[in-house]
Amino acid sequence: MTKVAIIFHSRSGNVFQLAAAAAAAAEKAGAEPKLLKFGELPDPMVLDNDAYNDLETATADIPVATLEDLLWADAIMIGTPVHFGLPAPQLMNFIDHSGPVAIPGMLVNKAVTVFASGSAAHAGAQTAILAVHNALCHWGSLIVPNGSSVEILGSEHNGSPYGTCSISRHLANHVHEDNIKAIEYQTQRVVEVATAYQIGLKQTESAIDYVSLEDLARKFPHLSMD
């Protein structure tokens, strides 16, 4: 069974709605989903305190993602709100601490896809997704975009080939049903890519030697997975 880690940060519930829909879609596709959230920072930027507090209550039982979750997963879905055209700092903080598993090649060839929510159609959701793609290139992961070849992506509420983007208009829990259909498609696509890779891996043997944890520990003695 293909294992899917769906890791998100949300400020007013929109990314959380997409992430929850992705988890349901992964299970429907026959995969094993794990819904996770990025750890909060000491001084987060909050625009809507009521929505933020409601979201904190709604997601209280969702575990905070760890590096072990990245190793567990065959496929990874990353969700973020837009911060001035960039991903949420909570997400970037997690990526900044991914060196112990990224540098030795432990995230190589994992199927990874990204989705986002912004305030308007041209408010930076696509640039936020592409910014995460930069980090995924360093991970060596297989970036899985939406493309443009299924009908739902032609909806006026969708259209991003990079990943599902919802438009919140600064409203809490304001995800259009077409965005839900788009994230369901995106989930199915990343599950299929990850599953196909796992099947192929059983039929071949990689000749690539990655950096060992022992060599990494000698070079960076203070680096750990904690």
Side-chain angles (χ1 to χ4, degrees), residues 134-195:
N134 290 337
L136 301 183
C137 289
H138 287 264
W139 284 5
S141 302
L142 305 177
I143 297 173
V144 182
N146 273 0
S148 305
S149 302
V150 297
E151 185 176 358
I152 190 59
L153 298 181
S155 160
E156 63 177 323
H157 302 283
N158 289 316
S160 169
Y162 311 105
T164 300
C165 300
S166 71
I167 302 171
S168 70
R169 302 295 180 190
H170 293 297
L171 298 174
N173 303 307
H174 187 66
V175 177
H176 194 276
E177 62 180 354
D178 284 357
N179 300 148
I180 298 297
K181 293 176 182 177
I183 196 68
E184 290 171 347
Y185 158 73
Q186 187 172 356
T187 305
Q188 182 180 7
R189 179 166 161 76
V190 76
V191 168
E192 288 184 356
V193 170
T195 301

Side-chain angles (χ1 to χ4, degrees), residues 1-218:
M1 180 180 290
T2 299
K3 300 184 288 293
V4 186
I6 302 140
I7 316 175
F8 71 94
H9 176 69
S10 190
R11 289 188 300 178
S12 57
N14 294 294
V15 179
F16 174 45
Q17 282 191 338
L18 292 171
E27 188 170 10
K28 185 177 179 180
E32 179 184 352
K34 183 185 287 188
L35 187 60
L36 303 159
K37 59 188 177 185
F38 291 109
E40 189 52 278
L41 297 177
D43 186 23
M45 192 273 283
V46 179
L47 293 175
D48 185 334
N49 282 299
D50 290 338
Y52 185 81
N53 292 332
D54 289 345
L55 180 66
E56 187 175 22
T57 300
T59 61
D61 294 333
I62 297 176
V64 172
T66 68
L67 299 185
E68 292 290 348
D69 293 313
L70 299 181
L71 300 181
W72 169 85
D74 302 308
I76 301 167
M77 302 185 70
I78 296 174
T80 181
V82 177
H83 284 243
F84 297 101
L86 296 169
Q90 290 82 353
L91 185 164
M92 296 310 301
N93 182 62
F94 182 82
I95 288 178
D96 283 344
H97 289 82
S98 66
V101 294
I103 296 173
M106 295 179 178
L107 306 181
V108 167
N109 294 338
K110 289 183 181 288
V112 187
T113 195
V114 187
F115 56 95
S117 177
S119 61
H122 304 289
Q126 296 183 14
T127 59
I129 290 173
L130 292 175
V132 179
H133 284 182
N134 290 337
L136 301 183
C137 289
H138 287 264
W139 284 5
S141 302
L142 305 177
I143 297 173
V144 182
N146 273 0
S148 305
S149 302
V150 297
E151 185 176 358
I152 190 59
L153 298 181
S155 160
E156 63 177 323
H157 302 283
N158 289 316
S160 169
Y162 311 105
T164 300
C165 300
S166 71
I167 302 171
S168 70
R169 302 295 180 190
H170 293 297
L171 298 174
N173 303 307
H174 187 66
V175 177
H176 194 276
E177 62 180 354
D178 284 357
N179 300 148
I180 298 297
K181 293 176 182 177
I183 196 68
E184 290 171 347
Y185 158 73
Q186 187 172 356
T187 305
Q188 182 180 7
R189 179 166 161 76
V190 76
V191 168
E192 288 184 356
V193 170
T195 301
Y197 179 78
Q198 292 302 313
I199 293 171
L201 198 61
K202 294 176 182 178
Q203 302 175 16
T204 188
E205 183 175 344
S206 176
I208 301 171
D209 291 325
Y210 295 103
V211 178
S212 70
L213 283 176
E214 291 77 14
D215 290 341
L216 188 64
R218 283 193 291 271

